[in-house]
Amino acid sequence: MKRRSIDPEMPDESAKLSLCRALLSLKNAEEMDAFLNDLCTPAELEVLVDRWRVVPYLLEGVSYREIHDRTAVSITTIGRVARYLNQGSGGYLAAAARASRARATAKRTRA
């Protein structure tokens, strides 16, 4: 966490809530993609994508080494994601469940 020499006008929690609301306001994947591309540096976005990429494998019980071999994501990052899947706030699990339901719905719609 970075240190600030002055107090920002908006407290960190309020700013975080504002960001959450902005994310929720986006209507589709294309708008979210544009927002993330504007918000994040390429390196930051790559980190987010790498973390999300390993979630399905971890939920399937694939070993860290196999996940690394399939994704090229570091073992350290895989372990960090696994820790938050098991001991975090439930965000990964909620997003993974919704993404899974959305994929299932899309498959039924196409069939």
Side-chain angles (χ1 to χ4, degrees), residues 88-105:
S89 301
Y92 277 128
L93 291 173
R98 288 206 177 103
S100 178
R101 284 194 299 270
R103 281 191 302 275
T105 300

Side-chain angles (χ1 to χ4, degrees), residues 21-87:
R21 287 185 179 125
L23 291 165
L24 285 169
S25 74
L26 299 169
K27 304 240 184 293
N28 54 45
E30 291 75 21
E31 286 185 7
M32 180 66 73
D33 182 58
F35 184 75
L36 290 174
N37 283 325
D38 289 346
L39 180 68
C40 300
T41 66
E44 290 167 337
L45 196 49
E46 181 180 13
V47 168
L48 294 173
V49 169
D50 282 350
R51 290 177 183 175
W52 184 244
R53 180 178 285 143
V54 304
V55 169
Y57 294 112
L58 289 167
L59 292 174
E60 292 173 14
V62 177
S63 73
Y64 289 15
R65 176 59 54 197
E66 181 68 20
I67 295 170
H68 169 72
D69 291 344
R70 291 182 188 186
T71 65
V73 174
S74 75
I75 299 292
T76 302
T77 296
I78 296 165
R80 182 175 298 121
V81 173
R83 186 171 59 251
Y84 282 99
L85 267 171
N86 294 318
Q87 301 168 354

